[in-house]
Amino acid sequence: DDDVRHFVRCVGGDAAGVVVSTSATATSSKAADGAGAALDKYNVDWMGKYHGRSRVAVLPKTTDELCAIMSRCHARNLAVVPQGGNTGLVGGGVPAHDEVVVNLGRMNAIVSIDEDAGVSVVEAGVVLEELESAVRARGMTVPLDLGAKGKCQMGGCVSTNAGGLRLLRYGSLRGSVLGLEVVLANGEVLDLLRTLRKDNTGYDLKQLFIGAEGTLGIVTKIAILTPRAPTNVNVALFGLDSFASCVELLKLARGRLGEILSAFEFFDRESLDLVLEQLKGTQDPLAKPCPFYVVVETSGSVKSHDNAKLQAFLKIVKNKRVIVDGVVGKDEKHAFALWTLRERISVALKYAGAVYKYDISLPTARMYNLVTTLRARLAPKFGSGVKVLGYGHLGDGNLHLNISCAEYTDALESAIEPFVYEYTREERGSVSAEHGLGIMKAEEIIYSKDAKAVELMGAMKRALDPRGILNPYKVLPAATRAAALIPM
Amino acid sequence: DDDVRHFVRCVGGDAAGVVVSTSATATSSKAADGAGAALDKYNVDWMGKYHGRSRVAVLPKTTDELCAIMSRCHARNLAVVPQGGNTGLVGGGVPAHDEVVVNLGRMNAIVSIDEDAGVSVVEAGVVLEELESAVRARGMTVPLDLGAKGKCQMGGCVSTNAGGLRLLRYGSLRGSVLGLEVVLANGEVLDLLRTLRKDNTGYDLKQLFIGAEGTLGIVTKIAILTPRAPTNVNVALFGLDSFASCVELLKLARGRLGEILSAFEFFDRESLDLVLEQLKGTQDPLAKPCPFYVVVETSGSVKSHDNAKLQAFLKIVKNKRVIVDGVVGKDEKHAFALWTLRERISVALKYAGAVYKYDISLPTARMYNLVTTLRARLAPKFGSGVKVLGYGHLGDGNLHLNISCAEYTDALESAIEPFVYEYTREERGSVSAEHGLGIMKAEEIIYSKDAKAVELMGAMKRALDPRGILNPYKVLPAATRAAALIPM
């Protein structure tokens, strides 16, 4: 139709830039083949949990092209889903219905890498791992690392305020992102692309777009701190008797490893069992099974200093019997294998079947109670076919609670929700520590934010996207979204 | 009058909570005594540069009291200036005309210090140094340190997004502040006071108030990361031949001192001369005068490791002849004396007379060019009575440019401005790296932000303070402020 022809003009007549359903009524779904199949990769999330029915995906190559696309969508009141690597966990990056998909994957240039200043500028579609490789070659690193690094794109990382494995060391993207270029709902460009470490001239508008999941604007370019890479990395894996011991270990690690502690991750035996079962080449890291495991990573600049600190730490935790057993990665390959056990839990879960994923912030010391409480709640009704797994970023108070099962059922879902959210509210935690809200938790925001805060978010939405065309049905609850719309 | 009687009721009838001018027409000024004198400390900034004419200062003791005050001001359309320790440098914390001063100094409770989580919660009026003492006693530190620490208050620090001496190590307050309680323009409370490290549920509204200089709401409580204090701190002072050598030293420090580098400050000989001249008990730190000086601080957890890294660094910078001379603080007292030379420049400037202060972000390598360029510009007209000094946070790309003179004159001011701002815009820098805009630079925001960004800031102002009663005349340019007002 007219819009599609316009989009083709927007991307310079490049046929690869517009993917259209060949049937009049798009029927894309997990099972679909034929007409909607070409659009499936844009319509369906990687877990196969959320199925949109968009009839067109547009892939601009430049900011100008995107401006032209958005200008058209704004004028015609067409809803838009900005999409990155489609590795999200809350359905934020796929259409809810028939929104136009704007996929940033072809805006994938690394614009500049400034070694002296330790700052890189990239387009939104650059894959995290590609940026990491590019800056590593210059002795730098990206202050963000996560399981999806091979596929997730920087624009998506910024838009979800991705946390990941290095947050403990480098802090959140709110500090690491120095500047952004954003295309607004009406197709205008907001140029906040500076590479300054400090700038206190007015409100820090870029913060609005970090973590907004594409509901306030489309991030097109990013200036991000890329600090000097540590020259010496050690990885140790510990087996522990109880979650309380994991917390004690964290306290000792903070004190004894000080400035070189760069990751502190935990997982339970149930998680490890699933990895060993689902993933070839993995093996039990310690002689005897333990109920809990912790991966500690140190990163420093002088090998002998790091080793000395780690050895002193090991001595103390052994003497104090905080750990049952432990192993230090003896070389890079071994260290990688230890890390893999933690990092690949999420992949093992996917192989094992359906999975309900929750990403919760809780007071560190009581974090695991949610796992045991939920087990006790589900076991009588659902038996051993439903497994409750706990793992995550213990150093950041972030629990990844996963319920693995054969298939998604209403009975199971209603046994989990809203229980998990109510539990989290009681603890004054967050129902989404790092995954965002997307479509999955848009209504659940009330468990973490009070009514006044949600109302103000509506005001921000109204100010930036008065027609509500940007990633509708996501992040904000329906009532707030409706209130945010300015009547035309 | 009626409003004053109401304010007295708001603070529970406590006479100390409301300071009123005893004369009908307030005439507070630097020189004033008599009627307006009691209000001078609220009306005049610490530099004596900005003089308000407020007739009343209110000092609430609780959030509820402040809500009642704001509710009255909103209903009666009375303008309000939130005020902390009054240590600002851009006139952001004193009235421009006759606004009601709301001073947070009596809301000064440390609410909680959680040693395990490394998080403290404080009221806005807590003085930075008091918080530092309180957490130090528990082995923690505040991720913020600056010259005004003995007087500046936490609410003001957050509202100006204060940077200071430790930003290089701990990053900006945007990462360290975990939660805020804010009283909005209409007297409602916005409760964003969480102590979570990670929370991705909707837009991060607290970022709006960090650095907004009290124009969007009044910060009343703060949850802030208070990390484990380093057990071992070293300070070294270097003399260098050129600014290029300072930059080379920074590069080497980043590489060689790695994870323990905690501050990298520079000052020029002109700055040191002023300190030696104005401040008793100070002395030249090195045998021969040098044109540039750098203070390097390291903070780590194992003394022998830190010393070894520092010695290796010293050896390299001597061998490479990057430095002319250097000295390492041999004990705490000596280290403090070295730090003092950098930290007290600002005090020396105040003793020396009038001073024009500029706080600029620039590309690190070219930062000092602004100082030499301005010297060349001013010298022919103003001679040696006008001194141009350069110092600041070299590790953060932040130059404090100061022009010391006998008195403020229009001729001198117009020789400096807008030149300094235009220069900064050319370099794509920031006209306010860490001091904020206040009343001094409200119009100058255009040198750092484009028109679209300023327009959006106006939209934020409109959403949060539709009547424009919060800290008027500050941060936003007059045209934007006017456009932000919603007609009543």
Side-chain angles (χ1 to χ4, degrees), chain A residues 104-351:
Chain A
L104 281 290
R106 299 207 305 172
M107 290 178 67
N108 60 356
I110 295 178
V111 179
S112 63
I113 298 176
D114 182 339
E115 223 171 298
D116 290 345
V119 180
S120 300
V121 177
V122 297
E123 288 185 334
V126 168
V127 170
L128 172 53
E129 202 165 56
E130 283 168 14
L131 178 59
E132 177 70 19
S133 304
V135 301
R136 273 282 164 168
R138 292 166 168 87
M140 295 183 282
T141 187
V142 182
L144 175 71
D145 185 19
L146 59 160
K149 61 189 158 200
K151 205 179 162 216
C152 68
Q153 297 171 8
M154 292 306 295
C157 290
V158 169
S159 295
T160 54
N161 187 27
L165 305 164
R166 287 185 190 149
L167 192 129
L168 186 68
R169 174 65 179 272
Y170 297 111
S172 98
L173 288 175
R174 297 193 176 277
S176 301
V177 170
L178 300 182
L180 291 179
E181 179 190 81
V182 178
V183 172
L184 299 172
N186 62 4
E188 283 184 280
V189 176
L190 180 63
D191 177 10
L192 305 168
L193 196 66
R194 299 297 171 100
T195 56
L196 307 169
R197 266 163 214 258
K198 290 160 98 175
D199 179 18
N200 273 350
T201 55
Y203 316 144
D204 191 358
L205 294 175
K206 72 171 182 290
Q207 298 293 343
L208 276 176
F209 303 98
I210 300 174
E213 305 181 48
T215 61
L216 298 179
I218 304 181
V219 171
T220 47
K221 289 198 186 78
I222 300 145
I224 185 169
L225 282 176
T226 38
R228 194 162 289 271
T231 50
N232 185 51
V233 176
N234 285 315
V235 177
L237 182 143
F238 300 96
L240 303 97
D241 256 343
S242 67
F243 187 73
S245 293
C246 298
V247 175
E248 177 66 17
L249 192 72
L250 173 62
K251 222 166 142 176
L252 290 166
R254 282 221 174 96
R256 296 285 161 170
L257 298 173
E259 61 278 4
I260 62 167
L261 178 64
S262 57
F264 194 98
E265 300 284 318
F266 95 104
F267 50 96
D268 56 18
R269 181 68 207 185
E270 289 77 359
S271 300
L272 180 59
D273 281 338
L274 201 77
V275 168
L276 300 178
E277 186 186 303
Q278 296 290 336
L279 302 177
K280 271 185 195 169
T282 54
Q283 55 185 44
D284 222 323
L286 302 174
K288 268 197 272 184
C290 294
F292 292 94
Y293 297 86
V294 164
V295 172
V296 172
E297 187 194 76
T298 65
S299 307
S301 60
V302 177
K303 191 170 180 152
S304 60
H305 294 171
D306 292 8
N307 291 350
K309 286 188 180 99
L310 190 57
Q311 288 308 322
F313 174 66
L314 289 175
K315 202 172 154 189
I316 284 169
V317 299
K318 272 183 206 159
N319 284 348
K320 290 198 170 191
R321 297 173 195 247
V322 178
I323 60 165
V324 175
D325 196 1
V327 56
V328 177
K330 57 182 186 293
D331 54 31
E332 218 171 298
K333 201 181 146 194
H334 187 206
F336 183 78
L338 295 177
W339 248 129
T340 294
L341 297 176
R342 158 66 188 88
E343 259 205 273
R344 301 201 68 202
I345 298 170
S346 149
V347 176
L349 276 161
K350 199 189 167 186
Y351 289 169

Side-chain angles (χ1 to χ4, degrees), chain A residues 1-11 18-21 55-58 72 76 78:
Chain A
D1 55 2
D2 256 13
D3 292 317
V4 169
R5 274 191 296 276
H6 186 83
F7 294 144
V8 173
R9 275 199 304 278
C10 288
V11 296
V18 181
V19 182
V20 195
S21 165
R55 293 186 48 223
V56 59
V58 195
R72 173 80 175 194
R76 297 260 301 124
L78 300 175

Side-chain angles (χ1 to χ4, degrees), chain A residues 25-61:
Chain A
T25 52
T27 54
S28 177
S29 81
K30 201 183 178 183
D33 49 6
L39 279 166
D40 261 11
K41 61 184 280 205
Y42 305 103
N43 267 322
V44 184
D45 74 311
W46 74 278
M47 299 179 295
K49 195 170 166 192
Y50 300 96
H51 301 173
R53 288 175 291 106
S54 176
R55 293 186 48 223
V56 59
V58 195
L59 293 88
K61 285 188 307 299

